[in-house]
């Protein structure tokens, strides 16, 4: 049964759509609008502005496409889909695409959060919504700085309020201390006697959940400093623990979305009620360009008998799939895996390596009479007499399971499983007296539970979990660096559901060790996996002085120049 993230009625979310459409902007003059009135109205409910910011994180098709195009390729979770390989997989820089976070989060979430903070800051009855707005603004700011490095934050979204339409780019090394202070201060403002937060698709207005979320974010940001400023990281990590962090999956920060019809028409880019990332997983041509699993992720799961393997990855014949509903996929997974296991010297399963399209390593169907696969293929042919398994054998490549293609899937912001992995690594660093192995293993269990709780997958049994912990590569190692690798590899698997954090934590920890693509396809803009997005080209026109100052602070500025906290 899917976990009840939040009981938001359909009518409540539908009522938000008018507000959402009013707050969003698709104007070509996006840079001119970043610091102008976000509402064009005298009064907007600040709770609605918070709602918009929350839903935008996974509901905005204009923003989340950056994950399909780049993030999932850089983390090597996905590959093979034309969009993924053509951009991130081939290291092809496209300003229009790498600018998506900047072009959408500044005029969207940042602008609305900033406006709502200003309208509520002096009203003691609005202290709860003000605190939540400030916390979520830090979260959005962290996304932007972890994408681009030095970015506008302290002055961002203030143009309509102060008249400053060219905000400075704050240094990342200044932003992280600011984030800690802002989260601590905001969490201390909540008052049970003040006006309640309404229309909150993440926590339903639960102020204790907001406090816990703020403190848990402090853990994430403290660990981000583990190499560049370890003493500050340790101090902030311990302070966050003392203030109270997530203690179970009941504390997870996940945004509730609605089950809306899949639509790639223009109006769909303004409708943020559904999970747009899941919509992209489904695709606008699902039968011909589905979401393929990258070899790196597949081998990590499959080689270690991870019980999540067949919950995340399936083998589908898509010849008969409806392009509007996804119905009609024929699931061949059990037969494919059984036949591969019984015939290890025969290539049944075909991998999509980093940098490859699904057609680069074109598979071939090998008929093995008497095998489970042959039996199931015969059953498919009996139902579809014109079907030939060799005509389009890309069904022998692992694809993302149907469970993850639903538009009512949650938008994952932070989970208890992540907190466990952070606490495990903090113990390795000597920051705490916690048992690293205990938190490592508890984090794995929580990450496995997430698949059933949020995506309707079959629950991982205790026996499956116990067997997995005994796998040689999974059993907690005896050497610190091996342990760090294991912890962060598990975080990488978990963060498939949180791609922005997957990329950030992999860059910070350097685990798992990802090899740059080595395929027949050219790497366009550098051989190494990029480690940041470059600033939008239009910034040179609209914020020329601040833009040039920020670029000048980076030696050999490019998308291969490491961020401040990425020192290894």
């Amino acid at each position: 049964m899917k976990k009840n993230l939040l009981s938001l009625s359909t009518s409540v979310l539908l009522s938000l759509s008018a507000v959402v459409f009013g707050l969003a902007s698709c104007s070509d003059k996006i840079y001119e609008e970043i610091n102008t009135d976000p509402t064009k109205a005298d009064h907007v409910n600040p709770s609605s502005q918070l709602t918009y910011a929350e839903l935008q994180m996974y509901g905005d098709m204009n923003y989340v496409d950056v994950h399909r195009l780049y993030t999932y390729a850089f983390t090597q979770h996905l590959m093979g889909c034309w969009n993924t390989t053509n951009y991130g997989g081939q290291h092809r820089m496209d300003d229009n695409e790498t600018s998506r976070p900047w072009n959408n989060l500044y005029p969207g979430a940042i602008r609305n959060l900033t406006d709502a903070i200003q309208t509520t800051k002096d009203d003691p009855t609005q202290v709860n919504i003000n605190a939540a707005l400030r916390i979520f603004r830090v979260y959005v700011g962290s996304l932007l700085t972890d994408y681009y490095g030095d970015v506008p934050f302290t002055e961002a979204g203030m143009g309509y309020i102060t008249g400053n339409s060219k905000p400075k780019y704050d240094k990342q090394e200044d932003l992280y201390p600011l984030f800690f202070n802002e989260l601590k201060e905001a969490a201390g403002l909540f008052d049970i006697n003040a006006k309640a937060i309404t229309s909150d698709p993440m926590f339903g207005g639960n102020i204790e959940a907001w406090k816990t979320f703020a403190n848990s974010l402090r853990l994430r940001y403290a660990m981000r400093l583990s190499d560049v400023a370890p003493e500050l990281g340790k101090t902030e990590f311990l302070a966050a623990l003392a203030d109270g962090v997530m203690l179970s999956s009941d504390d997870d920060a996940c945004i509730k979305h609605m089950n809306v019809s899949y639509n790639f028409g223009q109006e769909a880019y303004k409708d943020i009620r559904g999970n747009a990332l899941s919509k992209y997983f489904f695709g606008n041509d699902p039968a011909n360009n589905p979401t393929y699993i990258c070899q790196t992720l597949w081998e990590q799961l499959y080689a270690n008998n991870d019980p999540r393997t067949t919950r995340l990855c399936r083998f589908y014949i898509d010849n008969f799939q409806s392009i509007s509903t996804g119905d009609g996929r024929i699931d061949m997974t059990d037969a494919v895996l059984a036949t591969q296991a019984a015939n290890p010297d025969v290539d049944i399963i075909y991998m999509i390596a980093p940098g490859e399209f699904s057609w680069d390593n074109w598979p071939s169907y090998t008929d093995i009479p008497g095998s489970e696969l042959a039996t199931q293929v015969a059953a498919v042919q009996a139902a579809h007499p014109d079907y030939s398994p060799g005509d389009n054998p890309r069904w022998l490549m692992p694809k993302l399971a149907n469970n993850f293609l639903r538009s009512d899937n949650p938008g994952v912001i932070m989970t208890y499983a992540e907190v466990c992995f952070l606490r495990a690594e903090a113990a390795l660093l000597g920051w705490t007296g916690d048992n690293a192995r205990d938190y490592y293993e508890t984090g794995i269990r929580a990450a496995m539970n997430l698949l059933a709780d949020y995506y309707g997958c079959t629950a991982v049994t205790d026996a499956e979990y116990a067997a997995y912990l005994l796998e040689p590569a999974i059993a907690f190692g005896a050497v610190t660096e091996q342990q760090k690798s294991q912890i962060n590899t598990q975080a990488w698997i978990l963060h498939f559901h949180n791609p922005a954090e997957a990329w950030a934590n992999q860059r910070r920890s350097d685990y798992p060790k990802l090899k740059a693509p080595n395929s027949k396809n050219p790497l366009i803009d550098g051989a190494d996996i990029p480690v940041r997005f470059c600033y939008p080209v239009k910034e040179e026109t609209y914020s020329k002085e601040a833009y040039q100052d920020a670029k000048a602070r980076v030696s050999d500025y490019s998308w291969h120049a490491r961020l401040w906290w990425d020192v290894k």
Side-chain angles (χ1 to χ4, degrees), residues 247-248 416-421 424 435-449 465 469:
L247 298 177
S248 76
Y416 168 64
E418 179 186 348
V419 168
C420 288
F421 294 136
N435 186 301
R437 176 175 177 171
D438 287 348
Y439 275 107
Y440 166 74
E441 294 181 351
T442 301
I444 293 174
R445 177 78 260 193
M448 290 178 172
N449 291 344
Y465 166 66
L469 294 183

Side-chain angles (χ1 to χ4, degrees), residues 346-407:
V346 179
D347 288 331
I348 305 296
I349 298 171
Y350 283 77
M351 296 292 94
I352 302 177
E356 289 187 347
F357 293 99
S358 61
W359 54 82
D360 283 332
N361 184 22
W362 191 259
S364 60
Y365 171 65
T366 301
D367 184 46
I368 302 177
S371 68
E372 290 191 35
L373 186 55
T375 299
Q376 187 161 347
V377 166
V380 173
Q381 290 177 309
H384 304 277
D386 294 332
Y387 174 69
S388 172
D391 286 349
N392 183 8
R394 281 185 284 177
W395 56 274
L396 294 169
M397 296 174 166
K399 301 170 185 174
L400 186 62
N402 280 342
N403 298 61
F404 304 93
L405 277 55
R406 294 177 52 88
S407 72

